[in-house]
Amino acid sequence: QVQVQESGGGLVQAGGSLRLSCTSSGSASIVYNMGWFRQAPGKEREGISCINWSGDTTYYVDSVKGRFTISRDNAENTLYLQMNSLKPEDTAMYYCAAAVACTSSDVRAGRNAYWGQGTQVTVSS
């Protein structure tokens, strides 16, 4: 069983930065495609970024392009999301997922994806 845990959320002023981390365990010999998703109150969860297992394919939803950067350290089983120039509309619960479908144009989490519990990001105006 794969466990996924996010950290790094918090309260930040508009224009500020946060770096989210996601550690995974329980998949000693498998390197998964990884993704970041977010869900704001009253809205559906959306996939905002992903990175494939080798790190040579990434995806960003238009609303975060140029502001967020996804990266991974496979040796440390850790996924990152550097978030700069944060806006109030970025306020949401952010989730990390392992074993997602990741292409340069989309991220999808199927029934076999592994999810973390989420970390809250709040951006004040």
Side-chain angles (χ1 to χ4, degrees), residues 8-14 16-18 20 86 91 119-125:
L11 173 63
V12 64
Q13 289 188 333
S17 298
L18 284 174
L20 304 184
L86 282 161
T91 295
T119 185
Q120 178 68 38
V121 172
T122 303
V123 184
S124 63
S125 58

Side-chain angles (χ1 to χ4, degrees), residues 12-14 20 23 27-29 33 37-38 41 52 54 60-61 73 75 82 84 89 91 96 98 104 116-117:
V12 64
Q13 289 188 333
L20 304 184
T23 57
S27 61
S29 62
N33 296 340
F37 296 75
R38 68 185 181 187
N52 76 330
S54 63
Y60 299 95
V61 70
D73 182 340
Q82 178 67 43
N84 299 329
E89 50 264 44
T91 295
C96 170
S104 59
Q117 295 298 307

Side-chain angles (χ1 to χ4, degrees), residues 1 4 9 12 57 59 63 89 103 110 115 119 122:
Q1 185 70 14
V4 177
V12 64
T57 297
Y59 162 76
S63 58
E89 50 264 44
T103 70
W115 292 93
T119 185
T122 303

Side-chain angles (χ1 to χ4, degrees), residues 50-70:
C50 69
I51 186 167
N52 76 330
W53 67 273
S54 63
D56 59 9
T57 297
T58 59
Y59 162 76
Y60 299 95
V61 70
D62 285 347
S63 58
V64 308
K65 278 182 182 176
R67 299 188 299 121
F68 291 9
T69 302
I70 192 170

Side-chain angles (χ1 to χ4, degrees), residues 3-119:
Q3 291 83 41
V4 177
Q5 180 66 57
E6 306 91 340
S7 62
L11 173 63
V12 64
Q13 289 188 333
S17 298
L18 284 174
R19 188 176 80 157
L20 304 184
S21 298
C22 170
T23 57
S24 59
S25 60
S27 61
S29 62
I30 302 175
V31 182
Y32 291 107
N33 296 340
M34 303 289 294
W36 287 101
F37 296 75
R38 68 185 181 187
Q39 187 167 20
K43 294 187 177 181
E44 292 188 354
R45 185 168 58 193
E46 66 168 337
I48 61 170
S49 184
C50 69
I51 186 167
N52 76 330
W53 67 273
S54 63
D56 59 9
T57 297
T58 59
Y59 162 76
Y60 299 95
V61 70
D62 285 347
S63 58
V64 308
K65 278 182 182 176
R67 299 188 299 121
F68 291 9
T69 302
I70 192 170
S71 62
R72 66 188 300 161
D73 182 340
N74 287 344
E76 298 294 329
N77 294 321
T78 303
L79 176 73
Y80 301 100
L81 187 68
Q82 178 67 43
M83 305 187 295
N84 299 329
S85 302
L86 282 161
K87 304 175 181 180
E89 50 264 44
D90 294 318
T91 295
M93 185 70 79
Y94 283 70
Y95 298 91
C96 170
V100 300
C102 178
T103 70
S104 59
S105 58
D106 197 12
V107 55
R108 300 286 179 94
R111 65 175 63 185
N112 295 323
Y114 302 98
W115 292 93
Q117 295 298 307
T119 185

